[in-house]
Amino acid sequence: MSKAVEVFSLFSDFDISLFRSGKHFRLYEKFGSQTVFIDGRQGVYFAVWAPNAKKISVIGNFNGWNPYVHELYVRWDDSGIWEGVIFNIGIGEVYKYRIETYAGDILEKSDPFALSMEVPPKTASVVSTTWYQWQDDKWMRNRHERNRLDRPMSIYELHLGSWIRDPNNPDRLLTYREIAEKLVPYVKSLGFTHVEFMPLAEHPYYPSWGYQITGYFAATSRYGTPQELMYLVEQLHKNEIGVILDWVPSHFPGDAHGLYRFDGSALYEHEDMRKGFHPDWKSYIFNYGRNEVRSFLISNALFWLDRYHIDGLRVDAVASMLYLDYSRNEGEWIPNEFGGRENLESVHFLKEFNEAVYANYPDVQTIAEESTSWPGVSKPTYDGGLGFGMKWMMGWMHDTLGYFKADPIHRKYEHGQLTFAFIYAYDEHFMLPLSHDEVVYGKQSLINKMHGDEWQKFANLRALYLFMYTFSGTKLIFMGGEFGQLSEWNVNQSLDWHLMAFPPHKGLFHYMKNLNTVYRDQPALYEKSFSPEGFEWLELNDAENSVLAYIRKGHDRNNDLVVIINLTPVVRDGYRVGVPEEGNWEIIFNSDEMDYFGTGMTIGNIKSEPIHWMYKNNSVKLTLPPLGGLILKLTN
């Protein structure tokens, strides 16, 4: 007579050795609920790490949630892994782990490695699969060309549940497949090279935006199945659009069914709350010094790259990971072994994470959301860095938005906010972000951060985008910014798509489409994005007129561009600008076109004159449009 749970293991001795030493980065192939066929019988193999548990059983609909029917076996090797096979169940079964602790507590936990979970607020795990017949081979073969640091990268950041909803039922979230039918052609028409999804791992609290995760390996079931998410990724890839995913290894929530005190002890977190509790988010910090926890997290990173064909990971809240005293007062944190504030265990983890990602998937990118002056975030680990591919340029974002909020009358006193970033622009591989964090919680939408009346607001925003796209670094814009969403981002409702019927918003949308086209088509804007050789100031000190002028350079001097931006509503007649070569200079982009809701001022082609200006032997005389910018290129 067979037992209710039969002894079986997917773990070799080598697997266990790697796991316990923190070097197993494919744990999702072993842990969780895995369908198996043994001697012609179908079953599900369960494996869970809970070294401090006294007893663990699998409970679910299949056994009436009876904790005494399907008890798992603890391995003999002190690894803390409990496992076993239950036959005659399969895909779709709902389950939890019932854990009895040595203290006598009874816990009911979701599976940390579950591939799917019930739709919140339900919290059980679901036996699932990530099998999918992918049809994005062409993209996967060639994406190294799309993801290189000398290629254009303009990213459209979005939250799936509030990008668009069912017009007939605004409370209904669309499925991944339904979103794909609308999102893919939209992003393609705008010319963005990548999308960035805010976290899609399962999270119990929807207003957390996905940053409070309980199911690290489970794509949120709010929008459908794992295969439906794969379809969305595949359709983006088929249209030559890369996919970046927000990843959250910094903290997790204290929900009773999640990772918190998983086996009755601080298993994934720290026992001491001076190290283990995050005061800002009321969440719990991973114990990066524990080998098994590092294996869990790095396996999770590789999981999304492997099973979902994700092209990059934007790592959330890196600053909070690097400093032991982050958001803490004196006496609320514990110094490291050298008496410093640096979290050395976290530093080791981040380096190991980046090394593992690039060793296994050299054609993807990792991006750090890091707001401090920590050195070498985007330098290789062999050169003493953390190993990220890129870092968000938070200083540029805050300074630039501060400048554009100012009345143009006073901008001559704020001029340094735009030029200061150049001092450190090449210290890292920077991405210029205008992210979700800047359009929520009373910060106003991007368009309403701009100074002036309606015309000036839109002109200012167009000028900001021109400055952003012609400055060094890659680009990121949050959804709604492309058409001038008026209200702040609200996670509980769709974007205000009706605004697209109005000329200013329609004009801004058309502007973004053309700006992305220029960015992609002009090598000078991306070939040397992270090198000072790709940027040269022509005029950075004209604070009195609030004018900036600079050259962007690629590998071929014939592709050089001259950019001039006038940041006041005053037309500048006869403004002379030095140019690197003599000849006819064509205006290839003008932010003041009537199609963009601008004035439509005609400027035409400009022939250089042999007048020495701005340290150049040749120069051109221009009429600068109000709150507008021009991109010039030599035509002969």
Side-chain angles (χ1 to χ4, degrees), residues 354-365:
N354 279 309
E355 289 169 354
V357 166
Y358 284 111
N360 287 275
Y361 301 96
D363 53 355
V364 306
Q365 290 291 349

Side-chain angles (χ1 to χ4, degrees), residues 192-382:
F192 286 98
T193 66
H194 293 68
V195 297
E196 180 179 320
F197 293 132
M198 292 170 71
L200 293 177
E202 195 59 85
H203 49 286
Y205 185 54
Y206 180 73
S208 77
W209 311 338
Y211 292 97
Q212 298 272 4
I213 296 171
T214 49
Y216 271 79
F217 292 82
T220 179
S221 53
R222 287 179 175 87
Y223 314 117
T225 66
Q227 287 69 30
E228 287 178 307
L229 174 54
M230 293 171 189
Y231 174 82
L232 170 57
V233 174
E234 179 182 84
Q235 292 305 305
L236 288 161
H237 284 173
K238 283 185 173 182
N239 286 274
E240 300 187 324
I241 300 165
V243 181
I244 297 167
L245 182 66
D246 275 12
W247 186 58
V248 192
S250 50
H251 63 117
F252 60 88
D255 294 71
H257 67 282
L259 297 179
Y260 174 66
R261 300 196 72 83
F262 186 79
D263 61 358
S265 69
L267 190 62
Y268 289 88
E269 68 273 36
H270 295 269
E271 191 71 53
D272 191 325
M273 288 298 96
R274 290 175 296 175
K275 295 179 71 175
F277 183 71
H278 202 298
D280 282 355
W281 303 309
K282 306 297 186 280
S283 56
Y284 297 87
I285 299 168
F286 282 103
N287 183 350
Y288 306 109
R290 191 161 197 171
N291 292 340
E292 295 89 343
V293 172
R294 293 200 310 280
S295 278
F296 171 83
L297 287 171
I298 296 175
S299 291
N300 183 246
L302 298 192
F303 167 81
W304 290 102
L305 303 174
D306 175 16
R307 298 290 175 86
Y308 284 90
H309 288 198
I310 298 300
D311 305 298
L313 296 172
R314 176 264 193 186
V315 182
D316 182 63
V318 172
S320 75
M321 300 170 66
L322 291 174
Y323 298 97
L324 296 165
D325 63 344
Y326 187 89
S327 286
R328 297 177 187 274
N329 298 316
E330 189 174 348
E332 296 177 348
W333 58 284
I334 303 173
N336 63 36
E337 60 187 291
F338 303 108
R341 57 196 285 255
E342 300 80 11
N343 189 332
L344 303 179
E345 293 173 346
S346 176
V347 170
H348 172 66
F349 161 72
L350 289 170
K351 290 181 176 182
E352 194 169 32
F353 149 74
N354 279 309
E355 289 169 354
V357 166
Y358 284 111
N360 287 275
Y361 301 96
D363 53 355
V364 306
Q365 290 291 349
T366 63
I367 305 156
E369 185 216 6
E370 204 286 306
S371 55
T372 74
S373 56
W374 186 282
V377 171
S378 58
K379 282 187 177 180
T381 56
Y382 62 75

Side-chain angles (χ1 to χ4, degrees), residues 424-440:
Y424 61 95
Y426 305 104
D427 292 351
E428 302 278 1
H429 297 153
F430 279 120
M431 176 178 288
L432 311 182
L434 294 171
S435 73
H436 63 274
D437 279 327
E438 301 311 306
V439 293
V440 73

Side-chain angles (χ1 to χ4, degrees), residues 1 9 16-17 49 86 110 118 148 231 285 312 320 409 505 551 553 577 596 618 623 635:
M1 181 177 179
S9 183
I16 297 299
S17 174
W49 178 53
I86 302 174
S110 302
E118 290 184 300
R148 284 169 37 178
Y231 174 82
I285 299 168
S320 75
I409 293 175
H505 302 275
I551 305 172
K553 305 175 182 180
V577 177
Y596 308 148
N618 296 275
T623 297
T635 59

Side-chain angles (χ1 to χ4, degrees), residues 442-458:
K443 294 182 180 178
Q444 299 182 301
S445 63
L446 276 182
I447 192 68
N448 281 322
K449 291 179 190 289
M450 303 296 105
H451 184 273
D453 57 20
E454 182 184 59
W455 185 88
Q456 289 191 6
K457 284 180 183 295
F458 278 89

